[in-house]
Amino acid sequence: MFLKRIIVAALLLSSTIGFSQRKDLPTDFLSKEFHKERREALRAKMPKNSVAVFFANAVRNRANDVDYVYHQDPNFYYLTGYREPNAVILIFSEEQKSDKGNYSELFYVQKRNAMAEMWNGYRLGVKGVQKTLGIQNAFNGEDFVNLSIDFSKFDKIIFTDFKNDVRDNKRDRADLYDLIAQFKQKVGYKSSSDKIPASDKNIKVATNIDTKAIRGIMATLREVKTKEELKLLKKAVRISAMGQIEVMKAMHPNMSETEVQGVHEFVYKKYGAEYEGYPSIVGGGNNGCILHYTENSKTKLDKDLVLMDLGAEYRGYTADVTRTIPANGKFSKEQRAIYDLVYKAQEAGIKEYIIGGRISKPGQTARKIINEGLVKLGIIKSVNERHLYFPHGTSHHIGLDVHDPGNYTIFKENMVLSMEPGIYIPEGSKCDKKWWGIAVRIEDDILVTKNGPVNLSADAPRTADAIEKMMAKKSVLDDLVLPNIDD
Ligand code: GLY
Ligand code: MN
Ligand code: MN
């Protein structure tokens, strides 16, 4: 029995070595040079004599033995490229002197573990991080406890306050929970949400902590995209447009919301996108009035107008594209009237994605057009009437987050933002019944350039006529008939 265990352990160890030699990964992830340059850009924006500390996202439990698919914290990914949990990076504004060599960053990651890798997948470990991500000052997470820096010497310790989102089950040494607890102890910090045990009362609370600065610094870094980022973002958007096109061709009145979602997501995967950037929204008729409707559970779309807000995530970058189409291939008179109004508002707004222009302007333009249009259609009485038919903004940055950080002041070259006006008329609204259950959003992703706005999602038809024309075409999925499995 004992011998058997040794053999299993030896086999696992040898297979771990195999695990590190991956040649089957996509090759177009952000480069290590990108992450290095971004850490340098961060340093340049940090106050003198400061340290910025970033933690990996927590693993979140879905139920019992099943966790949600892991997704790295976007700031952490932006700065490191690391896609595993249980890690912390300290970035110093100036080089730090040490007997063992000077350093300007310290990166603690999860160590290789044959058993864990057999169950849950590859780990880079310290050597992998040094080689693949190019961060030389990398250490096992377990060594973080021995880090003996006098944090009180810094003018500022910058990090984002911790939320109560670190699960406390299935604990492991040097997991994220430990790293955060150790960090708090080292710097003398308590989150507002921390319960303070009696034994902890003597901890000196540091005065050099800044949990607000990160937000502004990262917003400034991330709101303008580099060339490398734009390549990935453009691909995510084009893939999402391809999903919309295929659904337009495949759509028929017997389809369910779930099936429509499946077609989009199938196209994403077919093009190599690893995930969706946010839960897919497919709402037929009245369901489209729920802005973030993700249940997608209606079984038959029939003559509904179907609002489809979905975005592929490609190498971490997410698109955000919405098209609204009639399930039977033809807009009714009322559906078309609302659609055309949203389209007009969107067209006018897109023209204002101009370097130096205010980011709030396209939304104001769209709102004016929509209010005037709603009066003309008799849905509201005056342009000043308060209503909830257009209850959201139009313009947010996209990037590693679908709502990417930014300062939201003026448009700059190489920003990418959504333009997404909408009109939603739920059943029971105070207008003629003929409008009830109509919801339209049109959302495109706009790149700001020296030559004016570029609509990155323009491949997917946008006018009512172009949509009807596309819907008349044959889909590659029309011939896909699966066996009936109902008894
Ligand atoms: N898909 C979320 C949004 O449009 O902002
Ligand atoms: Mn959006
Ligand atoms: Mn959207």
Side-chain angles (χ1 to χ4, degrees):
M1 187 64 188
F2 182 64
L3 187 66
K4 205 166 150 193
R5 276 198 198 154
I6 291 180
I7 292 169
V8 170
L11 279 172
L12 279 173
L13 273 177
S14 60
S15 61
T16 302
I17 292 161
F19 281 153
S20 66
Q21 311 292 320
R22 291 201 71 187
K23 299 224 162 46
D24 54 353
L25 282 174
T27 52
D28 57 350
F29 282 104
L30 291 168
S31 67
K32 54 189 172 196
E33 290 77 20
F34 167 87
H35 300 295
K36 182 162 189 274
E37 190 277 322
R38 295 288 82 193
R39 293 196 297 281
E40 273 156 20
L42 168 69
R43 268 184 208 106
K45 294 207 176 303
M46 285 167 61
K48 275 211 184 90
N49 191 33
S50 65
V51 52
V53 186
F54 296 84
F55 289 87
N57 244 350
V59 173
R60 294 188 171 87
N61 186 249
R62 185 167 187 261
N64 198 16
D65 282 344
V66 179
D67 292 331
Y68 284 104
V69 173
Y70 185 71
H71 190 264
Q72 187 55 278
D73 171 76
N75 280 340
F76 200 86
Y77 183 68
Y78 188 80
L79 295 168
T80 65
Y82 192 63
R83 289 182 288 126
E84 299 173 30
N86 305 321
V88 55
I89 187 162
L90 294 85
I91 299 176
F92 302 89
S93 54
E94 290 87 19
E95 194 172 57
Q96 305 295 299
K97 309 256 177 280
S98 134
D99 303 342
K100 292 181 200 142
N102 299 350
Y103 57 86
S104 54
E105 54 203 19
L106 298 171
F107 192 21
Y108 292 85
V109 301
Q110 37 178 30
K111 73 172 184 185
R112 306 277 322 266
N113 176 327
M115 194 61 100
E117 290 182 56
M118 185 183 85
W119 283 92
N120 294 321
Y122 302 95
R123 291 182 177 193
L124 281 176
V126 169
K127 284 203 186 105
V129 161
Q130 289 166 335
K131 188 165 173 247
T132 315
L133 305 179
I135 305 178
Q136 297 314 320
N137 286 308
F139 309 90
N140 278 328
E142 288 181 0
D143 296 336
F144 186 59
V145 71
N146 302 321
L147 174 66
S148 58
I149 289 181
D150 173 12
F151 280 95
S152 67
K153 74 180 177 185
F154 296 108
D155 291 340
K156 288 259 181 261
I157 306 170
I158 307 171
F159 57 93
T160 307
D161 201 356
F162 311 105
K163 300 193 188 88
N164 283 324
D165 60 0
V166 181
R167 65 184 191 152
D168 59 5
N169 58 343
K170 297 193 203 161
R171 298 254 340 265
D172 197 4
R173 259 192 84 202
D175 67 4
L176 188 64
Y177 182 91
D178 265 358
L179 296 175
I180 289 177
Q182 287 161 20
F183 172 70
K184 283 181 181 176
Q185 203 156 38
K186 283 179 200 299
V187 303
Y189 178 72
K190 288 184 200 311
S191 313
S192 49
S193 57
D194 282 350
K195 291 192 198 84
I196 305 174
S199 59
D200 259 16
K201 289 244 165 74
N202 294 329
I203 288 187
K204 199 171 93 255
V205 176
T207 52
N208 56 351
I209 280 168
D210 185 342
T211 57
K212 303 272 182 294
I214 283 283
R215 205 182 156 90
I217 296 175
M218 293 310 293
T220 304
L221 291 181
R222 286 176 56 190
E223 68 180 2
V224 173
K225 270 56 187 181
T226 68
K227 211 170 145 191
E228 214 175 311
E229 288 181 286
L230 281 178
K231 201 168 166 204
L232 300 178
L233 195 47
K234 281 181 183 175
K235 183 121 183 204
V237 177
R238 285 203 77 187
I239 291 172
S240 307
M242 288 302 142
Q244 295 284 0
I245 290 173
E246 205 50 51
V247 167
M248 287 180 195
K249 294 184 198 163
M251 176 77 78
H252 57 80
N254 285 328
M255 273 174 118
S256 68
E257 290 174 348
T258 313
E259 189 179 351
V260 171
Q261 173 184 353
V263 176
H264 282 277
E265 293 176 7
F266 167 74
V267 173
Y268 297 175
K269 302 271 193 275
K270 185 81 181 152
Y271 281 102
E274 43 276 87
Y275 211 57
E276 300 88 52
Y278 54 94
S280 299
I281 298 167
V282 180
N286 205 52
N287 294 340
C289 297
I290 302 168
L291 302 176
H292 290 166
Y293 171 78
T294 55
E295 222 183 283
N296 306 345
S297 54
K298 188 170 187 168
T299 52
K300 189 169 182 283
L301 290 165
D302 204 7
K303 292 181 196 151
D304 278 352
L305 205 49
V306 189
L307 188 156
M308 309 179 295
D309 181 345
L310 304 95
E313 182 179 299
Y314 187 84
R315 312 295 176 254
Y317 284 83
T318 181
D320 189 6
V321 179
T322 308
R323 290 292 182 267
T324 307
I325 67 174
N328 65 359
K330 284 272 168 220
F331 286 88
S332 72
K333 194 164 152 244
E334 285 75 25
Q335 289 172 347
R336 189 179 266 258
I338 300 295
Y339 189 92
D340 287 349
L341 180 53
V342 176
Y343 177 77
K344 188 176 163 196
Q346 199 210 21
E347 275 287 279
I350 290 174
K351 291 199 174 75
E352 295 178 334
Y353 282 54
I354 298 291
I355 296 173
R358 279 183 296 118
I359 292 181
S360 55
K361 187 80 189 340
Q364 289 162 358
T365 300
R367 192 161 299 281
K368 185 168 181 294
I369 291 172
I370 284 179
N371 281 342
E372 286 168 0
L374 288 175
V375 171
K376 253 194 201 154
L377 295 172
I379 294 170
I380 57 173
K381 291 195 180 62
S382 89
V383 288
N384 298 320
E385 184 176 325
R386 287 167 70 89
H387 64 82
L388 282 176
Y389 296 128
F390 178 21
H392 59 73
T394 57
S395 315
H396 59 82
H397 292 275
I398 61 166
L400 289 172
D401 281 292
V402 64
H403 292 174
D404 224 34
N407 296 306
Y408 288 94
T409 51
I410 54 162
F411 289 112
K412 293 183 189 158
E413 187 181 12
N414 292 337
M415 284 182 168
V416 183
L417 297 98
S418 65
M419 177 58 201
E420 51 172 318
I423 297 176
Y424 314 86
I425 313 178
E427 278 162 18
S429 295
K430 281 193 209 141
C431 61
D432 193 316
K433 263 182 161 174
K434 67 181 181 181
W435 304 111
W436 290 5
I438 295 180
V440 175
R441 176 158 71 250
I442 313 175
E443 176 169 28
D444 284 85
D445 299 334
I446 313 299
L447 170 65
V448 180
T449 79
K450 281 197 186 104
N451 301 320
V454 176
N455 184 346
L456 301 179
S457 38
D459 285 345
R462 291 172 56 239
T463 64
D465 283 344
I467 288 171
E468 286 183 354
K469 211 165 147 197
M470 185 60 83
M471 292 187 79
K473 292 192 180 171
K474 208 172 144 44
S475 163
V476 288
L477 296 167
D478 288 345
D479 298 328
L480 179 70
V481 181
L482 299 177
N484 184 5
I485 54 166
D486 288 330
D487 294 330

